[in-house]
Amino acid sequence: MPEKFYITTPIYYPSDKLHIGHSYTTVAADAIARFKKLSGYDVYFLTGTDEHGQKIERKAAEKGMDPQRFVDEIVASIRQLWKTMNIEYDDFIRTTEDRHTAVVQKIFKKLYDQGDIYKSEYEGWYCTPCEAFWTQTQLKDGNCPDCGRKVERVKEESYFFRLSKYQDKLIKHIEENPDFIQPVSRRNEMLNNFLYPGLEDLSVSRTSFKWGVPVSFDDKHVVYVWIDALSNYITALGYLSDNDEKFKKYWPADIHLVGKEIVRFHTIIWPAILMALDLPLPKQVFGHGWLVLDGDKMSKSKGNVIDPVKLCSKYGVDAVRYFLLREIPFGSDGNFSNGALIYRINSDLANDLGNLVSRTVTMIDKYFDSVLPKASDTRAQDTELVEMASGLAKEVEASVNELQLSAALAHIWKLVGRCNKYIDETMPWALAKDSAQKPRLGTVLYNLAECIRIIAVLIGPFMPQTPDKIFAQLGISGNTDLTSWDSLAFGRLTPGIKVLKGDALFPRIDVEKELGTLNAQLQAGKPPETPEAAQISIDEFARVLLAVGKVVSCERIAGSDKLLKLQVALGQETRQIISGIAKWYPPEELVGKLVTVVTNLKPVKLKGELSEGMILCAEDSAGRLSIISPEKEVDHGCQIR
Ligand code: MSP
């Protein structure tokens, strides 16, 4: 019997535009679920939508729509997004489904009957966008501490859950189970910021709106977010229903994968509810970092969201999935920038992996008439490559088990890199010139093809469309013996199969052209600016570091009519900056000029050249660029404020 593995994402708020950041949790959970399936587990992967609450009620009313119809439309688009992103979930739970609401009512009643829920009065501050209640001391400058927006004063009768009763038991559980909250920084945060200072009982019902699960024994009240939303993880499995087979089989969850901002709900409130229900706790809650845009969290109101559908249709789902999983390091935030995305696609996918596959298949085609040769002349030169390929599955598995997805991909790309180096070392084109070297040439190409097969099997969970394309080129499509977990030992590929040259796996992108288009798209995706959205705080402005630079040298970049390569002195250091001003400035005119430089931009490569900053220009209506230079002579390196 295979071991069970139950993984969940949070259930998503029905937002009409989920952005690329939202996709991260689901893509990461999907990759983990697929990897576990590949490695032999009986996996159950749950996602869904969190559809109740005042915010939805208000939005539907604004549109003159019934809330159910309002959410139905949005949820359909969310399901479509997951389809586009190749998310292979086993179940999709909606909190408006009867199978959920009926059980939420039972849970609420059970907790009330046993005295874990009691009636009292709630008074405090409510943030509608976050659907969160705050006490006076929790507010930040009188506003919501999470989103900074205005809060409303509310006072109403409410049912309370005895969260405080479970405080000591929770602390004990967290202290005794170091893996329960991961990464460890989040575990410390929960203990130090919330549990050790002490928990207050939690308001778990509302009378101020109607769009929620009615409390079965008091119809003035609806169940407020916590018990409703968090219970999805067990209602979906049939807990307290006529058929609880899945619940018996899959609960407790092996992993609740959540974004870092909702770790508190999943590691304090949810376990306390489970303790009250006398149910086992999830084995692990993992709080991942965010995908940020230039250091800022993506949000519709900030107008800085990136549309995942557009990205997928432009670059392909696998490239976008690869970027997300590679760019967000274990537990930390990762930055989205068009430059970083294109850099990853060009360098890791087109250059490293794509070229490896096409070079290998082309050489087998050319030197062996497309028939895979056998490895009859193995030498010491092959040992490192073969050992690396043989140990890869274990290494990747260990990283996935620690949810270090970026590291898992890095392991795979280490082998990709080693294969490319092996081609340079063995020089098959030189071996091909000498017929006596044919067995050696065959061995080299066999080793490469076998490494590519292993790489293709292991990237499948992360990039589900790519393996089949590679298997087709290797001539092993549909041969499950060669594409399964058990096939990952080195040497399974049988000589004699016919390889088939195919299209480039990941076509290279013209960086200049693409960055222009993407930035324009980002502009177009912004909502009409409200005065509030257009303004930034002094702190936000202060995050952009500007300095005066002096151009030391400047030259054109071969093959580009737009780009100049400048060496710019900035006080103690000199940086290379690539700037798209070639049309407006001959290189020699810029030498000695003082320019304005953004100094804390993430470096990018443009036309293969590293750019460590940006030179600011004014652009007139005809698109002509003019460098911004200080009015008086000042020292280079001085700050611009
Ligand atoms: N409905 C709640 C969860 C209730 S679970 C019982 C919720 N929904 S959400 O739609 O706001 O977020 C869904 C997931 O998307 C969360 O894991 C959240 O962290 C993730 N992300 C939203 N923006 C994100 C980024 N910019 N980057 C990475 N993940 C982000 O929270």
Side-chain angles (χ1 to χ4, degrees):
M1 270 275 276
E3 204 178 316
K4 69 95 190 170
F5 184 80
Y6 180 35
I7 180 166
T8 67
T9 72
I11 43 172
Y12 282 70
Y13 291 127
S15 151
D16 51 355
K17 259 273 161 299
L18 291 190
H19 54 66
I20 189 71
H22 285 117
S23 326
Y24 178 70
T25 319
T26 309
V27 167
D30 183 63
I32 298 163
R34 285 175 183 266
F35 195 91
K36 286 287 184 183
K37 272 180 206 166
L38 175 71
S39 55
Y41 285 77
D42 171 1
V43 174
Y44 203 74
F45 168 24
L46 175 73
T47 188
T49 38
D50 185 359
E51 304 181 15
H52 290 127
Q54 191 169 19
K55 196 169 152 191
I56 295 289
E57 191 177 74
R58 281 189 190 165
K59 276 193 181 165
E62 275 164 25
K63 291 203 164 189
M65 281 170 92
D66 160 59
Q68 187 65 56
R69 205 162 65 81
F70 177 74
V71 289
D72 284 351
E73 279 180 19
I74 300 177
V75 171
S77 74
I78 293 179
R79 278 182 191 268
Q80 186 51 45
L81 172 64
W82 298 151
K83 203 167 163 195
T84 303
M85 300 209 73
N86 239 323
I87 307 297
E88 206 178 56
Y89 52 75
D90 294 286
D91 195 3
F92 189 104
I93 179 102
R94 299 183 56 181
T95 53
T96 51
E97 286 176 86
D98 291 346
R99 63 169 171 153
H100 176 77
T101 53
V103 179
V104 167
Q105 288 185 323
K106 284 187 197 168
I107 292 174
F108 202 94
K109 175 89 170 40
K110 184 172 157 64
L111 297 179
Y112 179 72
D113 288 345
Q114 70 191 39
D116 271 311
I117 283 181
Y118 62 92
K119 198 175 192 174
S120 179
E121 194 168 65
Y122 175 80
E123 188 169 4
W125 297 97
Y126 184 63
C127 174
T128 307
C130 297
E131 298 197 34
F133 282 87
W134 304 104
T135 58
Q136 183 68 39
T137 49
Q138 285 173 317
L139 299 183
K140 209 167 150 198
D141 303 326
N143 294 322
C144 170
D146 267 0
C147 72
R149 279 179 272 211
K150 278 208 172 93
V151 285
E152 293 167 42
R153 186 80 186 153
V154 287
K155 184 175 178 180
E156 60 180 69
E157 178 186 285
S158 172
Y159 285 94
F160 280 75
F161 172 62
R162 287 193 201 280
L163 186 61
S164 57
K165 176 176 154 191
Y166 294 95
Q167 175 180 311
D168 294 343
K169 221 173 148 186
L170 271 169
I171 293 177
K172 189 164 178 282
H173 184 82
I174 295 170
E175 284 177 344
E176 283 175 1
N177 295 277
D179 285 339
F180 176 59
I181 307 176
Q182 280 293 321
V184 74
S185 56
R186 310 222 191 280
R187 175 174 175 265
N188 296 338
E189 191 190 334
M190 292 305 120
L191 285 170
N192 297 329
N193 298 359
F194 301 105
L195 283 155
Y196 294 149
L199 296 176
E200 284 174 21
D201 288 352
L202 189 72
S203 160
V204 287
S205 78
R206 286 290 169 272
T207 54
S208 49
F209 62 91
K210 283 267 151 269
W211 184 239
V213 181
V215 171
S216 58
F217 50 90
D218 189 345
D219 57 11
K220 239 172 52 191
H221 288 255
V222 291
V223 178
Y224 175 59
V225 61
W226 314 118
I227 293 184
D228 178 9
L230 291 159
S231 300
N232 89 85
Y233 302 126
I234 52 178
T235 61
L237 296 179
Y239 172 66
L240 294 186
S241 77
D242 295 342
N243 180 356
D244 65 355
E245 248 168 63
K246 283 194 190 118
F247 178 73
K248 285 191 188 127
K249 181 167 178 192
Y250 291 110
W251 190 257
D254 293 83
I255 291 169
H256 286 319
L257 188 64
V258 303
K260 61 182 182 181
E261 81 285 13
I262 49 176
V263 168
R264 182 164 68 98
F265 312 135
H266 285 81
T267 57
I268 297 178
I269 299 173
W270 178 226
I273 294 172
L274 290 166
M275 283 172 176
L277 292 172
D278 203 17
L279 292 176
L281 304 195
K283 291 186 195 151
Q284 185 170 93
V285 176
F286 185 90
H288 67 69
W290 287 337
L291 186 70
V292 294
L293 191 74
D294 300 325
D296 220 0
K297 194 182 178 204
M298 286 184 200
S299 93
K300 219 164 95 182
S301 58
K302 286 184 192 150
N304 66 349
V305 297
I306 307 280
D307 181 352
V309 177
K310 279 190 189 148
L311 285 187
C312 288
S313 71
K314 216 171 169 63
Y315 303 112
V317 187
D318 277 7
V320 175
R321 286 177 61 121
Y322 175 79
F323 173 79
L324 286 174
L325 299 173
R326 187 75 199 259
E327 203 68 16
I328 301 192
F330 181 52
S332 333
D333 293 347
N335 198 47
F336 179 90
S337 77
N338 295 326
L341 170 66
I342 296 171
Y343 177 70
R344 284 274 180 214
I345 294 176
N346 276 353
S347 105
D348 299 9
L349 300 180
N351 238 13
D352 298 347
L353 178 62
N355 277 349
L356 170 65
V357 174
S358 90
R359 282 160 96 192
T360 305
V361 173
T362 303
M363 288 191 286
I364 298 173
D365 177 57
K366 191 165 161 195
Y367 304 135
F368 290 90
D369 209 11
S370 295
V371 177
L372 182 73
K374 60 175 190 261
S376 57
D377 184 1
T378 298
R379 301 196 184 165
Q381 198 178 25
D382 310 331
T383 317
E384 192 189 327
L385 182 82
V386 173
E387 277 177 3
M388 206 185 242
S390 309
L392 187 62
K394 282 274 154 274
E395 268 185 314
V396 177
E397 187 180 31
S399 293
V400 172
N401 284 344
E402 287 174 16
L403 306 200
Q404 297 202 37
L405 303 181
S406 176
L409 285 167
H411 285 308
I412 303 176
W413 256 256
K414 214 165 120 199
L415 180 61
V416 172
R418 188 67 192 84
C419 287
N420 281 319
K421 196 166 154 227
Y422 180 74
I423 298 181
D424 297 341
E425 288 165 357
T426 53
M427 295 191 292
W429 52 90
L431 296 172
K433 288 191 183 133
D434 179 357
S435 58
Q437 295 283 9
K438 198 107 195 196
R440 180 63 192 146
L441 176 62
T443 308
V444 166
L445 293 179
Y446 177 89
N447 287 344
L448 287 169
E450 180 59 337
C451 285
I452 290 171
R453 181 186 69 83
I454 291 172
I455 288 165
V457 173
L458 287 170
I459 60 173
F462 308 90
M463 309 164 76
Q465 288 178 350
T466 305
D468 282 348
K469 294 182 188 163
I470 300 180
F471 297 147
Q473 298 206 28
L474 290 178
I476 55 169
S477 292
N479 185 340
T480 47
D481 286 347
L482 291 176
T483 58
S484 67
W485 182 254
D486 292 335
S487 77
L488 287 170
F490 193 91
R492 288 286 180 87
L493 206 50
T494 28
I497 51 170
K498 265 206 124 169
V499 304
L500 196 72
K501 277 204 311 185
D503 293 338
L505 291 177
F506 299 96
R508 273 192 77 78
I509 293 164
D510 178 335
V511 181
E512 274 177 64
K513 213 170 118 199
E514 207 57 26
L515 280 182
T517 322
L518 274 177
N519 287 329
Q521 256 181 22
L522 178 58
Q523 265 335 93
K526 283 188 180 180
E529 282 188 343
T530 60
E532 216 180 336
Q535 288 174 350
I536 57 168
S537 70
I538 188 79
D539 290 338
E540 283 170 296
F541 175 68
R543 296 184 46 229
V544 181
L545 300 183
L546 299 168
V548 173
K550 186 168 190 167
V551 180
V552 181
S553 66
C554 179
E555 59 185 279
R556 292 189 181 279
I557 291 188
S560 167
D561 55 359
K562 285 195 198 136
L563 297 180
L564 291 182
K565 179 161 83 176
L566 302 100
Q567 304 301 326
V568 181
L570 287 152
Q572 302 293 326
E573 60 168 330
T574 299
R575 288 201 195 174
Q576 174 166 298
I577 297 178
I578 310 300
S579 178
I581 50 176
K583 268 197 197 160
W584 320 108
Y585 292 93
E588 59 282 4
E589 202 181 286
L590 290 173
V591 177
K593 204 171 175 61
L594 293 178
V595 292
T596 306
V597 179
V598 183
T599 56
N600 60 339
L601 272 186
K602 204 175 171 193
V604 286
K605 273 198 172 171
L606 297 168
K607 284 270 171 202
E609 297 282 357
L610 186 70
S611 183
E612 295 175 282
M614 183 167 83
I615 293 178
L616 293 188
C617 293
E619 182 177 7
D620 71 9
S621 55
R624 281 182 297 246
L625 298 182
S626 170
I627 282 177
I628 313 288
S629 207
E631 192 221 345
K632 296 194 181 79
E633 189 69 23
V634 290
D635 290 337
H636 60 79
C638 70
Q639 268 188 32
I640 298 177
R641 289 190 287 160

